[in-house]
Amino acid sequence: MGILSRKVTCNTHGQDSSYFLGWEEYEKNPYDEVNNPNGIIQMGLAENQLSFDLIESWLAKNQEAANFEREGQSIFRELALFQDYHGLPSFKNAMSGFMSENRGNRVSFDPKKLVLTAGATSANETLMFCLADPGDAFLLPTPYYPGFDRDLKWRTGVEIVPIQCTSANGFRITKSALEEAYKQAQKLNLKVKGVLITNPSNPLGTTITRTELNRVLDFVSRKNIHLVSDEIYSGTVFTSPGFISVMEVLKENKLENTDVSKRVHIVYSLSKDLGLPGFRVGVIYSNDDIVVAAATKMSSFGLISSQTQYLLSALLSDKSFTKNYLKENQTRLKNRHNKLVSGLEASGIDCLKSNAGLFCWVDMRHLLNSNTFEAEIELWKKIVYEVKLNISPGSSCHCNEPGWFRVCFANMSEETLEVALNRLKMFVYGPSSTTRSQSEHQRLKTLRKMKVSNWVFRLSFQDREPEER
Amino acid sequence: MKQLSTKVTSNGHGQDSSYFLGWEEYEKNPYDEIKNPNGMIQMGLAENQLCFDLIESWLAKNPDAASLKRNGQSIFKELALFQDYHGMPEFKKAMAEFMEEIRGNRVTFNPKKIVLAAGSTSANETLMFCLAEPGDAFLLPTPYYPGFDRDLKWRTGAEIVPIHCSSSNGFQITESALQQAYQQAHKLGLKVKGVLVTNPSNPLGTALTRRELNLLVDFITSKNIHLISDEIYSGTMFGFEQFISVMDVLKDKKLENTDVSKRVHVVYSLSKDLGLPGFRVGAIYSNDDMIVSAATKMSSFGLVSSQTQYLLSALLSDKKFTSQYLEENQKRLKSRQKRLVSGLESAGITCLRSNAGLFCWVDMRHLLDTNTFEAELDLWKKIVYNVKLNISPGSSCHCTEPGWFRVCFANMSEDTLDLALKRLKTFVESTDCGRMISRSSHERLKSLRKKTVSNWVFRVSWSDRVPDER
């Protein structure tokens, strides 16, 4: 008899994927400016390390929040005992307000429809338990966050069917791709329960357009299925076009309080915007009272520490802090993003034009030996082991075109980013080819000005002599 | 098409049980010494509120731990980024040592075999996901914690088959009860994957005896199944006996590093011993590396906040604090339990003799109109709505005998406890049988207790009495 469950003995935790293997390599030989300058630089971790000073300075001025005090009185007892799965009211109020602020106050969130969970990881899994039975499917646009394979499928028994997006149109979600995915699910005998999008997208770093959102809403409306919008990166939008939440689109289409609106659910977290993944703060927002009620009970399996709820309710209730933080965070992300993009350009490497996130979706197709995933993995291994940069290969994100990589820019110092970019340049051009790189840089700038689509750009490259790639 | 999952539309969350309904009634009308002296007194919440002063005074002397500093330097950034599901090494080490200390340092816990979880609620569910398929069953001795119906079954699809225990022997687990439960599972077409015990027991407030533990280890050996020992109350043992963990028994039987030891898993939490349910700190301890590995990955769904891991690693690493805390906590629990027991006695009510936990298992069978669960619920409603005490009826704990109630004693002030006891006494004396019983029974009980007869002998004496005196 099987002593352990199949969940344990099978591989659906997804952790054999390269996404996690690169992480392991980094752990063995991590870069350190002083102690290990030849180590691997971590560019595979979507962390936001750019604005800690803002939070630390707030903490220094507001010591009560961490010390279990409110207006000079100790509330340790109250917090130690607080395990109500409805969550700390002041924290839910603060979160609702913060989420609203992130959307320019164009939509409002009712704290009563918010469910707190230990991170977005827990939120996403909980939503799957609420919306789908084992064997049901959710459609996800590719490329997508590798963690979803574990978070959405492992213990829930739910399946993911990809909505194939390609570089032909900047990886936008098309109507035909949606229909194709739906048909594919039916072919596989899977009941489709909904669509899950990440907006802004991980790994693309782009906000979903209003057109796409309308398209997706229209689709879930016709098929009578759910839409989960993971908006975990909503506070990382650093340039135009701005962030449009699915909640705004519902409002614009006058769909609030309709059946469709009850099938739209948002996931949020403080792990990316505030850079606090260690504190395990996630939320589900739903207009469906039954979902809110069920998810609230399920949150028992992953409640947020009351100690953390209290600290963050104080932080997020401080509107002068949040206003300044959001603005400054965006400025820093923009600068860092630009630095990465131009550094890559100087190596003849292009990215998908992006306006959000903590990473760029980098086009290294021209560096592949062949247009295959084997070649992508080979290139990836070279980059990890020789160039000593841990970046994430597109195949780990289920991208259907080889040659794309996700490269993070907000989880290291500026100096480290420069070191990484230099190493990459050396890899692409060799140590003695500065002239080539300069002309490449010009070429790219001209092309960018012409605003040609990615595929035209790629054709130009194929015209070049092989050894110049 | 069905919009929501069956998990949502069915009632598997178990929250329609009276256990939770009493809680709701309390929320509507909570007692407050000043603002609402006629309100409902909460005696259904197994919280430990007796030793916060000890923790608060430690916090005052060690301000770095809460303010995210180490040796005066801010480690905010380090903590903010720490989301490694292997857990903070210092914290796991401190937890391992604390667990050892509670067991008198007779057994050791390897920090590498600890998996952190957001409370034992999360730990228990995760273990189910690791050990059982949907439709598999775990055997649990009754009465058991009502929350298990949700924690072990709801999202996992696992089933619970009860191991019936009765007052005839103080609710101890017997070999025949184990076998009967196993057969019952088979009759229901369920594959038994293991046994889960809570030791010390909730709601009984008793620690498992060595005999019972040996029985359990033998049973799971012969059936080739798992044993989960939820030892969440291990630090609340206040009797003169020592707490015996299943780990002690494995060691004593020289079963360490055997196949059987790989099928024994311990669950722990800081919610009861330290009174910190809000901080969500639970742990799984397993000798099976595959379980540790899988549970570690699953803990992604309920990690402990790094802010909290850091605070508690500092607290628990302070051995002076932990040894003083454990000793003082036990003293206060013991004296509080005594207060409840004697208060109940003066109302003619006895409890199962207990040596641990934050509650007593109270025998109100003599107050029932009939020996039925309907009568138990009637009595419960009277106690909730008329006496305004929220206590937990035995049926919500799957007890097979009507008339038993779990009454908590560590979640209120001494004055509030005294008030609750007064109300109860008044209620009992106001009922016909109560008036007759309470005066004479108090004396009777005192002399019976001196003879330290077992509960079942005591019960036989009661049934000799004329019916209208019950």
Side-chain angles (χ1 to χ4, degrees):
Chain A
M1 174 178 72
I3 280 287
L4 304 178
S5 72
R6 280 188 288 270
K7 285 176 183 58
V8 169
T9 51
C10 72
N11 270 348
T12 3
H13 51 71
Q15 240 151 276
D16 293 334
S17 102
S18 49
Y19 179 78
F20 296 99
L21 291 172
W23 207 332
E24 280 171 27
E25 278 311 304
Y26 164 78
E27 292 289 324
K28 291 182 201 165
N29 182 22
Y31 172 83
D32 182 280
E33 203 182 338
V34 178
N35 301 326
N36 191 19
N38 293 323
I40 296 180
I41 295 176
Q42 175 65 280
M43 304 189 90
L45 214 42
E47 285 176 344
N48 181 0
Q49 296 194 21
L50 305 189
S51 304
F52 282 131
D53 57 314
L54 301 178
I55 303 179
E56 279 177 303
S57 108
W58 185 92
L59 283 172
K61 290 190 225 120
N62 298 270
Q63 305 208 22
E64 283 203 334
N67 289 327
F68 304 103
E69 278 165 5
R70 184 194 289 135
E71 282 151 26
Q73 301 285 69
S74 168
I75 52 163
F76 175 76
R77 227 167 257 242
E78 183 187 316
L79 292 175
L81 290 172
F82 187 85
Q83 57 171 331
D84 183 355
Y85 55 29
H86 292 102
L88 205 66
S90 57
F91 184 47
K92 296 220 291 190
N93 288 339
M95 279 295 271
S96 304
F98 188 61
M99 286 171 74
S100 196
E101 199 174 345
N102 244 336
R103 291 155 184 72
N105 292 311
R106 296 181 296 275
V107 286
S108 63
F109 291 89
D110 178 0
K112 290 201 177 62
K113 299 182 179 177
L114 213 58
V115 180
L116 300 177
T117 60
T121 300
S122 179
N124 280 315
E125 190 198 41
T126 293
L127 265 180
M128 286 301 111
F129 273 124
C130 288
L131 305 179
D133 284 316
D136 290 343
F138 257 75
L139 311 180
L140 266 67
T142 62
Y144 63 76
Y145 165 55
F148 280 147
D149 289 320
R150 175 196 63 195
D151 300 352
L152 308 182
K153 297 172 22 171
W154 190 18
R155 308 191 306 178
T156 62
V158 170
E159 296 292 341
I160 293 176
V161 173
I163 300 163
Q164 306 286 5
C165 301
T166 74
S167 60
N169 70 341
F171 296 93
R172 297 289 173 199
I173 303 167
T174 64
K175 183 164 181 221
S176 63
L178 283 162
E179 294 289 351
E180 185 67 46
Y182 193 87
K183 281 201 200 92
Q184 177 61 12
Q186 287 179 321
K187 257 193 224 146
L188 297 168
N189 251 321
L190 303 168
K191 198 186 289 182
V192 176
K193 276 322 206 29
V195 175
L196 187 148
I197 58 178
T198 306
N199 176 27
S201 161
N202 174 13
L204 300 177
T206 51
T207 48
I208 297 191
T209 62
R210 182 174 267 105
T211 308
E212 284 171 285
L213 287 167
N214 276 317
R215 197 172 278 155
V216 173
L217 260 179
D218 192 58
F219 181 76
V220 304
S221 189
R222 276 184 290 114
K223 303 291 191 196
N224 198 25
I225 57 180
H226 295 274
L227 173 59
V228 175
S229 180
D230 186 344
E231 302 187 350
I232 190 176
Y233 289 98
S234 46
T236 67
V237 180
F238 50 78
T239 192
S240 64
F243 173 60
I244 306 170
S245 166
V246 69
M247 284 309 184
E248 291 175 62
V249 176
L250 279 174
K251 189 175 181 183
E252 285 160 11
N253 289 334
K254 296 196 185 350
L255 288 171
E256 289 155 310
N257 301 316
T258 62
D259 276 347
V260 156
S261 75
K262 286 201 171 61
R263 296 200 307 275
V264 174
H265 322 277
I266 290 189
V267 167
Y268 183 56
S269 159
L270 299 181
S271 300
K272 310 295 178 181
D273 296 347
L274 286 188
L276 307 173
F279 289 2
R280 312 317 302 149
V281 180
V283 307
I284 295 168
Y285 186 87
S286 176
N287 287 310
D288 183 333
D289 291 337
I290 298 179
V291 174
V292 172
T296 298
K297 293 180 178 72
M298 286 191 188
S299 70
S300 301
F301 301 109
L303 295 175
I304 302 177
S305 169
S306 57
Q307 178 191 15
T308 300
Q309 289 192 50
Y310 181 62
L311 173 67
L312 297 177
S313 76
L315 182 76
L316 297 182
S317 300
D318 184 342
K319 299 302 179 194
S320 81
F321 167 80
T322 58
K323 189 161 169 212
N324 178 53
Y325 181 91
L326 287 172
K327 188 154 153 261
E328 186 60 27
N329 183 45
Q330 285 164 18
T331 305
R332 296 180 187 187
L333 286 171
K334 181 178 191 168
N335 290 338
R336 198 52 90 76
H337 161 268
N338 291 347
K339 207 174 183 75
L340 174 63
V341 171
S342 40
L344 288 170
E345 259 181 39
S347 299
I349 298 173
D350 196 27
C351 308
L352 182 69
K353 187 156 173 294
S354 67
N355 62 339
L358 309 172
F359 33 74
C360 283
W361 188 235
V362 180
D363 186 356
M364 299 205 197
R365 290 175 291 174
H366 60 296
L367 298 174
L368 295 183
N369 288 330
S370 56
N371 184 26
T372 62
F373 288 110
E374 287 73 26
E376 178 184 285
I377 290 295
E378 265 178 54
L379 175 59
W380 174 70
K381 283 183 183 161
K382 279 203 198 105
I383 294 177
V384 169
Y385 294 106
E386 293 173 27
V387 192
K388 306 243 187 65
L389 304 177
N390 180 36
I391 63 180
S392 311
S395 48
S396 70
C397 303
H398 301 277
C399 184
N400 59 14
E401 299 172 29
W404 293 88
F405 290 80
R406 188 190 79 168
V407 180
C408 299
F409 57 71
N411 66 303
M412 76 281 286
S413 70
E414 213 170 277
E415 292 78 30
T416 305
L417 179 57
E418 277 169 28
V419 171
L421 291 167
N422 279 333
R423 286 186 188 177
L424 197 53
K425 196 162 162 190
M426 295 249 282
F427 168 70
V428 172
Y429 293 121
S432 58
S433 53
T434 4
T435 11
R436 199 181 297 143
S437 78
Q438 273 164 358
S439 69
E440 197 45 52
H441 189 62
Q442 280 313 312
R443 203 188 140 78
L444 278 170
K445 280 176 83 175
T446 338
L447 275 169
R448 197 172 290 281
K449 285 198 175 107
M450 281 159 48
K451 292 205 181 70
V452 296
S453 72
N454 277 333
W455 75 262
V456 168
F457 181 70
R458 184 162 62 103
L459 272 178
S460 321
F461 260 111
Q462 282 169 344
D463 288 346
R464 302 175 67 77
E465 291 299 296
E467 63 270 56
E468 281 186 303
R469 282 169 67 82
Chain B
M1 178 181 69
K2 205 158 48 76
Q3 283 293 319
L4 304 177
S5 69
T6 20
K7 286 174 182 59
V8 169
T9 51
S10 71
N11 267 350
H13 53 69
Q15 240 152 275
D16 294 334
S17 101
S18 48
Y19 179 76
F20 296 100
L21 291 172
W23 207 333
E24 282 171 24
E25 279 311 305
Y26 164 78
E27 292 290 325
K28 291 183 200 165
N29 180 23
Y31 170 81
D32 182 280
E33 203 183 339
I34 298 165
K35 300 184 203 137
N36 191 17
N38 293 323
M40 202 171 295
I41 296 175
Q42 175 65 278
M43 305 190 89
L45 214 42
E47 285 175 347
N48 180 358
Q49 295 192 23
L50 305 188
C51 294
F52 282 132
D53 58 313
L54 301 178
I55 300 179
E56 281 174 301
S57 108
W58 185 92
L59 285 172
K61 291 192 222 116
N62 298 271
D64 271 6
S67 32
L68 310 166
K69 295 197 182 110
R70 185 190 287 133
N71 299 326
Q73 300 284 67
S74 168
I75 54 165
F76 172 75
K77 189 172 159 169
E78 184 188 315
L79 293 175
L81 292 171
F82 187 84
Q83 56 171 331
D84 183 355
Y85 56 30
H86 293 102
M88 208 170 273
E90 320 88 87
F91 183 47
K92 295 218 295 190
K93 181 166 175 286
M95 281 289 272
E97 288 167 357
F98 188 59
M99 289 169 72
E100 288 170 358
E101 197 172 347
I102 289 175
R103 292 155 185 74
N105 291 309
R106 296 180 305 273
V107 289
T108 55
F109 289 91
N110 178 352
K112 288 198 173 70
K113 299 181 178 181
I114 291 182
V115 180
L116 299 175
S120 62
T121 299
S122 177
N124 280 316
E125 191 198 41
T126 293
L127 265 179
M128 283 300 112
F129 275 123
C130 288
L131 304 178
E133 302 296 344
D136 287 343
F138 259 74
L139 311 180
L140 266 66
T142 64
Y144 62 76
Y145 164 55
F148 280 147
D149 289 320
R150 175 196 63 193
D151 300 351
L152 308 182
K153 298 175 13 172
W154 190 20
R155 309 190 308 178
T156 62
E159 296 290 344
I160 294 176
V161 174
I163 300 163
H164 292 297
C165 301
S166 76
S167 60
S168 60
N169 72 341
F171 295 93
Q172 292 191 30
I173 302 168
T174 63
E175 163 120 41
S176 65
L178 281 166
Q179 296 292 355
Q180 195 152 45
Y182 193 84
Q183 274 150 33
Q184 176 62 10
H186 271 257
K187 257 195 221 139
L188 297 168
L190 304 169
K191 199 185 289 183
V192 176
K193 277 318 200 36
V195 177
L196 187 149
V197 298
T198 307
N199 177 27
S201 160
N202 173 13
L204 301 177
T206 52
L208 289 179
T209 59
R210 188 177 290 279
R211 194 187 55 80
E212 286 169 284
L213 288 165
N214 280 324
L215 201 60
L216 285 163
V217 171
D218 289 342
F219 182 74
I220 63 153
T221 304
S222 71
K223 303 292 191 200
N224 197 27
I225 58 180
H226 296 273
L227 175 61
I228 298 175
S229 182
D230 185 344
E231 302 188 350
I232 191 177
Y233 289 99
S234 47
T236 67
M237 184 109 180
F238 52 76
F240 66 86
E241 306 96 333
Q242 248 175 5
F243 170 63
I244 307 170
S245 164
V246 69
M247 290 303 184
D248 280 295
V249 170
L250 284 177
K251 186 176 182 183
D252 297 339
K253 283 163 85 89
K254 298 200 183 352
L255 290 171
E256 290 156 311
N257 301 315
T258 61
D259 277 346
V260 159
S261 75
K262 286 198 169 63
R263 297 200 305 276
V264 174
H265 322 281
V266 173
V267 167
Y268 184 55
S269 158
L270 299 181
S271 300
K272 310 295 178 182
D273 296 347
L274 287 189
L276 307 173
F279 291 0
R280 314 315 302 146
V281 180
I284 295 168
Y285 187 87
S286 177
N287 287 310
D288 184 331
D289 291 339
M290 275 183 81
I291 300 268
V292 171
S293 170
T296 297
K297 295 180 176 72
M298 285 190 188
S299 71
S300 301
F301 300 109
L303 295 175
V304 179
S305 168
S306 58
Q307 179 191 13
T308 301
Q309 290 192 50
Y310 179 63
L311 173 70
L312 297 176
S313 74
L315 181 77
L316 296 182
S317 301
D318 185 342
K319 301 305 178 194
K320 218 164 129 241
F321 167 80
T322 57
S323 86
Q324 183 218 12
Y325 181 93
L326 287 172
E327 204 195 306
E328 187 60 26
N329 184 43
Q330 283 165 17
K331 262 202 209 115
R332 297 182 187 185
L333 286 171
K334 181 176 193 165
S335 107
R336 194 55 90 79
Q337 184 253 21
K338 263 195 175 147
R339 207 179 184 83
L340 173 65
V341 170
S342 43
L344 288 170
E345 261 181 35
S346 69
I349 301 172
T350 58
C351 310
L352 181 70
R353 191 167 161 282
S354 66
N355 55 359
L358 309 173
F359 33 73
C360 284
W361 189 236
V362 180
D363 185 355
M364 297 205 200
R365 288 174 294 173
H366 59 297
L367 297 174
L368 296 182
D369 289 334
T370 52
N371 183 27
T372 61
F373 287 110
E374 286 74 24
E376 176 184 285
L377 238 41
D378 272 353
L379 175 59
W380 175 69
K381 282 179 185 161
K382 281 200 197 105
I383 294 176
V384 169
Y385 294 107
N386 301 348
V387 191
K388 306 247 190 60
L389 304 177
N390 181 35
I391 62 179
S392 311
S395 49
S396 69
C397 304
H398 302 278
C399 186
T400 50
E401 302 171 29
W404 292 88
F405 290 79
R406 188 191 78 168
V407 179
C408 299
F409 57 71
N411 65 304
M412 75 283 285
S413 72
E414 215 172 79
D415 293 337
T416 308
L417 178 59
D418 287 344
L419 174 61
L421 290 166
K422 220 161 111 201
R423 287 185 187 177
L424 193 55
K425 190 165 173 189
T426 310
F427 166 73
V428 169
E429 283 170 355
S430 73
T431 67
D432 284 335
C433 62
R435 215 177 298 125
M436 278 199 289
I437 287 177
S438 75
R439 272 188 300 257
S440 65
S441 76
H442 187 61
E443 286 310 313
R444 205 185 140 78
L445 282 169
K446 280 176 85 175
S447 53
L448 273 169
R449 195 168 293 283
K450 288 206 173 94
K451 289 196 219 148
T452 59
V453 296
S454 71
N455 277 334
W456 78 262
V457 167
F458 181 70
R459 184 164 65 101
V460 164
S461 322
W462 271 107
S463 24
D464 286 347
R465 300 177 67 78
V466 194
D468 48 355
E469 282 187 303
R470 282 171 67 81

